[in-house]
Amino acid sequence: MTADRDPSATSVDAAWLERATALSVNGPAYGPNPRVGCVLVGADGTMLGEGWHRGAGTPHAEPAAIADAAARGHEVAGATAYVTLEPCSHTGRTGPCTDALTRAGVAAVRYAVADPNPEAQGGGAVLLARGIDARHVPYGPAAQVNRRWLGAVEHGRPWVIAKWAQTLDGRTAAADGTSFWITGEEARAHAHGVRAQVDAILVGTGTVRVDDPELSARPPGDAAAHQPLRAVMGLGATPGAKVWRDSHAVQLATHDPHAALTELASREVRTVVVEGGATVTTAFLRAGLVDELHVYVAPALLGAGTAAVGDLGIGTMAGALRAQDVTATALGVDTLVTAFFQRGQI
Ligand SMILES: NC(=O)c1ccc[n+]([C@@H]2O[C@H](COP(=O)([O-])OP(=O)(O)OC[C@H]3O[C@@H](n4cnc5c(N)ncnc54)[C@H](OP(=O)(O)O)[C@@H]3O)[C@@H](O)[C@H]2O)c1
């Protein structure tokens, strides 16, 4: 028995899944788990309880919603659970959500995204086998919230964001190696916000030697921002560099981007932002391992210096790597261009 995709999603389903999706974004974007929201709705259409997953080791959205209903004094037997992701059927740091929903006596489950995680998927079928009317009701915005997490699970490796700051003529450093600062404060603040949403920041040993970056997340007004793992890729030692100030840092002693990602995955990294330099960024692009681009473009020219990206082995215009879902955002005098590559495209 499988919980088939239900083409007969109603506007009521969409409305509650919209609410569940809004709840899901309260959870952290970083960490090994997806962001999930859940709303429990009674037969008369009353909201009985709602919850979201607050990160690894804390209750999943479904038990959180069940606990919320209990706290409100509501009985959830016979209710419908609207969840942004297929309820899990496995025991990880917490127990299976399929069991929590079954124990609570819910009559129906509508989930927006089928779980691609081989360890946790199949919860819909488990619920159906127990007589619970579980259906997959595809709802795009719920998938969008977990775009990076879903990509990481489907690719079987961390989701890679390649980020750099460049001049209008595509330089990421001047002829003398300096790159502080190409862009202005607003662009740099934005980049710190992105760092606070990922599990790891990766740079090459060359960048550590030349720039000695802290690689910390310092979004304005958030002194307690989540700090990603600092990863330095390359064989050379960089003793005394700021990245080694505490143990939340790792050297990836390889030139192979696949091996680097395998090592990061073993540390529960789902999203990594590759921040250069050009040698390392080019290696990831050549290996077809970039999912998302963040390019901050400053209205400046250098004429000489380091090119943002090195040789990709492309000899003709028809071979150009073209990204999709492009957005351009003004950040002060600078512009952030974000875009995506599809799996297998590069
Ligand atoms: N504008 C920006 O956004 C931005 C960002 C970062 C850096 N930068 C600038 O970029 C410059 C540094 O760039 P970079 O390209 O020299 O340094 P890099 O990419 O940070 O590091 C290059 C080094 O990493 C190691 N490495 C790791 N993977 C490799 C691979 N697949 N192939 C070859 N080597 C690999 C090698 O050192 P080992 O011998 O140790 O293995 C190599 O020399 C600096 O001037 C910095 O200011 C600019």
Side-chain angles (χ1 to χ4, degrees):
M1 196 160 10
T2 56
D4 287 332
R5 203 177 142 120
D6 180 9
S8 61
T10 65
S11 59
V12 174
D13 291 337
W16 287 117
L17 287 174
E18 183 182 355
R19 175 65 191 154
T21 302
L23 292 168
S24 74
V25 298
N26 291 323
Y30 55 84
N33 291 351
R35 294 192 277 181
V36 187
C38 176
V39 187
L40 293 162
V41 180
D44 62 354
T46 312
M47 190 279 285
L48 303 174
E50 52 186 28
W52 64 91
H53 180 48
R54 289 173 162 78
T58 70
H60 288 188
E62 299 91 327
I66 292 166
D68 181 54
R72 294 171 192 252
H74 292 314
E75 174 58 51
V76 300
T80 296
Y82 291 91
V83 202
T84 57
L85 184 69
E86 182 176 7
C88 72
S89 60
H90 85 312
T91 302
R93 290 179 171 103
T94 60
C97 291
T98 46
D99 289 358
L101 291 166
T102 307
R103 274 195 306 273
V106 302
V109 176
R110 302 286 179 263
Y111 55 93
V113 178
D115 193 339
N117 183 354
E119 283 176 15
Q121 67 187 187
V126 168
L127 291 167
L128 268 185
R130 293 176 183 172
I132 296 170
D133 176 18
R135 293 188 210 173
H136 176 201
V137 178
Y139 182 67
Q144 198 58 30
V145 168
N146 284 318
R147 184 172 189 167
R148 292 173 183 163
W149 183 87
L150 289 165
V153 172
E154 281 162 14
H155 299 182
R157 58 159 175 81
W159 177 268
V160 177
I161 304 166
K163 171 255 167 176
W164 66 81
Q166 67 168 49
T167 57
L168 279 177
D169 55 337
R171 309 285 172 176
T172 53
D176 66 355
T178 53
S179 61
F180 296 161
W181 294 106
I182 291 174
T183 49
E185 257 175 49
E186 286 185 44
R188 301 206 305 274
H190 185 278
H192 278 285
V194 172
R195 284 179 171 183
Q197 295 179 352
V198 301
D199 300 313
I201 307 173
L202 184 154
V203 296
T205 53
T207 295
V208 172
R209 278 192 208 100
V210 176
D211 295 347
D212 193 14
E214 280 188 37
L215 298 189
S216 55
R218 304 186 297 277
D222 187 2
H226 153 77
Q227 293 302 318
L229 177 72
R230 304 181 296 275
V232 178
M233 182 169 164
L235 308 177
T238 51
K242 288 181 195 145
V243 288
W244 308 121
R245 64 190 172 279
D246 62 36
S247 62
H248 199 44
V250 61
Q251 176 128 15
L252 307 169
T254 179
H255 285 183
D256 177 1
H258 290 278
L261 293 183
T262 299
E263 170 69 25
L264 291 177
S266 75
R267 293 167 184 263
E268 294 200 316
V269 169
R270 294 279 196 198
T271 52
V272 55
V273 55
V274 173
E275 295 204 6
T279 306
V280 160
T281 299
T282 303
F284 275 85
L285 283 164
R286 284 194 78 119
L289 290 173
V290 174
D291 303 297
E292 186 174 339
L293 279 180
H294 290 194
V295 182
Y296 297 87
V297 184
L301 297 169
L302 278 167
T306 313
V309 178
D311 185 6
L312 294 176
I314 299 169
T316 183
M317 202 57 222
L321 277 183
R322 296 198 183 268
Q324 284 100 42
D325 296 351
V326 181
T327 62
T329 309
L331 295 169
V333 297
D334 305 313
T335 304
L336 166 63
V337 178
T338 64
F340 295 83
F341 291 115
Q342 279 169 6
R343 187 182 187 190
Q345 183 194 349
I346 62 174

